[in-house]
Amino acid sequence: MIRLLHLSDCHLFAEVNRSGYGQVNPFSSLKSLLKRAFANQVNHFGVDAIVVTGDVSGDNSAQSYHHFLSLLARYSPVPFFAIPGNHDDNPYYQEYLGDVTLAPGKSVALRNWQIHGLDTRGKGASGKVCSQQLASISDDITQHSSAFHLLCLHHHIRPSNSWMDKHALVNPSDLLHWLNTQRLIRGIIHGHVHYPIFDELGEEHKVPVFGAPSTCWQWAMTSEFGVSELTPGGQIITLHDTGAVTRHIERL
């Protein structure tokens, strides 16, 4: 069994004292989450690694990535991996997080599981699936056919029935069609919606899809823009030896 701490949408600013939506300070909320998980370098959640599904920065600043790495270095005793979100479309993401990025075709092995990353950055806040990336992941899966596979991306795949669907994938059918050919993928995690939505994808083989809370402010799942009163959080993703995937939400 493998346990991942799934964090997403940190939206850190260059100024650590700056607050955003709902008067939430993203630096303070991420720091509090990490302290809860790893107070005194003790692994309280029993996680094997951290996976971050994008939007680390909230202002495209080099300092925001520096703050992120500093917090992880201070509090977390476990390795971490990341993928970029639409707010990470800047040169600093690669400079600071390139070495820990789950690039398509270069998955990470955690015992009997392979963790894959898909970069869905598109135009603006919307996302786009690249067929070349899917092909690279397919080849990677074929090379590790005896393992179970988890796919990580930033954007949600099917509608969330909220205003965030204005910023969804522009070609979700490409990903849905591809998923129907990938029976070894046992779970999908994503961010972007700042809310723990759940879905199941696939025609013959159902794959659970877990959206994550944001480590800062939470979006309201309403037709018009809104901020929820839910508190910042993350989720524990458990990858079972049987190939099942389950989750548990943690909030401040």
Side-chain angles (χ1 to χ4, degrees), residues 85-143:
N86 52 282
H87 281 277
D88 298 309
D89 197 11
N90 58 65
Y92 302 117
Y93 173 86
Q94 185 64 28
E95 177 182 347
Y96 283 85
L97 297 179
D99 290 344
V100 295
T101 292
L102 291 167
K106 297 181 180 179
S107 61
V108 169
L110 294 177
R111 293 195 285 278
N112 61 329
W113 282 83
Q114 295 287 137
I115 317 300
H116 302 267
L118 179 65
D119 183 349
T120 57
R121 286 177 293 183
K123 184 177 180 180
S126 298
K128 186 175 182 180
V129 176
C130 171
S131 58
Q132 186 175 358
Q133 289 189 35
L134 295 180
S136 296
I137 296 174
S138 295
D139 291 342
D140 198 349
I141 291 174
T142 300
Q143 294 175 22

Side-chain angles (χ1 to χ4, degrees), residues 5-250:
L5 175 57
H6 178 198
L7 304 176
S8 198
D9 300 272
C10 306
H11 291 281
L12 297 174
F13 299 128
E15 303 85 6
V16 296
N17 295 321
R18 178 182 168 186
S19 295
Y21 293 102
Q23 297 303 307
V24 174
N25 179 309
F27 180 86
S28 295
S29 58
L30 178 59
K31 179 180 178 179
S32 295
L33 282 167
L34 291 172
K35 287 177 67 175
R36 173 179 289 189
F38 306 112
N40 301 315
Q41 293 284 308
V42 177
N43 193 343
H44 294 285
F45 294 165
V47 299
D48 298 281
I50 297 172
V51 175
V52 184
T53 53
D55 283 6
V56 172
S57 180
D59 62 0
N60 288 311
S61 67
Q63 296 93 325
S64 62
Y65 295 102
H66 173 76
H67 298 326
F68 178 76
L69 292 177
S70 296
L71 285 174
L72 285 177
R74 179 178 180 183
Y75 293 106
S76 173
V78 301
F80 75 95
F81 309 99
I83 58 171
N86 52 282
H87 281 277
D88 298 309
D89 197 11
N90 58 65
Y92 302 117
Y93 173 86
Q94 185 64 28
E95 177 182 347
Y96 283 85
L97 297 179
D99 290 344
V100 295
T101 292
L102 291 167
K106 297 181 180 179
S107 61
V108 169
L110 294 177
R111 293 195 285 278
N112 61 329
W113 282 83
Q114 295 287 137
I115 317 300
H116 302 267
L118 179 65
D119 183 349
T120 57
R121 286 177 293 183
K123 184 177 180 180
S126 298
K128 186 175 182 180
V129 176
C130 171
S131 58
Q132 186 175 358
Q133 289 189 35
L134 295 180
S136 296
I137 296 174
S138 295
D139 291 342
D140 198 349
I141 291 174
T142 300
Q143 294 175 22
H144 300 92
S145 59
S146 62
F148 299 120
H149 298 262
L150 178 76
L151 179 66
C152 311
L153 69 158
H154 178 68
H155 290 81
H156 56 302
I157 303 172
R158 289 206 299 199
S160 64
N161 298 318
S162 77
W163 63 273
M164 279 297 291
D165 293 335
K166 300 175 183 177
H167 308 300
L169 293 173
V170 297
N171 59 338
S173 60
D174 291 0
L175 181 55
L176 291 169
H177 175 75
W178 178 82
L179 284 171
N180 284 328
T181 70
Q182 302 296 324
R183 296 186 60 84
L184 294 178
I185 292 181
R186 296 304 183 93
I188 300 171
I189 61 175
H190 67 84
H192 196 49
V193 291
H194 294 218
Y195 192 85
I197 59 176
F198 172 77
D199 200 356
E200 285 186 312
L201 300 179
E203 296 174 357
E204 298 180 5
H205 169 60
K206 295 295 184 183
V207 179
V209 184
F210 302 100
S214 166
T215 64
C216 54
W217 45 84
Q218 313 299 295
W219 296 141
M221 293 292 100
T222 52
S223 59
E224 299 297 326
F225 172 82
V227 180
S228 168
E229 294 183 356
L230 291 169
T231 54
Q235 57 187 2
I236 307 299
I237 300 293
T238 302
L239 309 177
H240 297 269
D241 295 338
T242 60
V245 182
T246 56
R247 68 122 168 242
H248 172 73
I249 305 297
E250 291 282 347

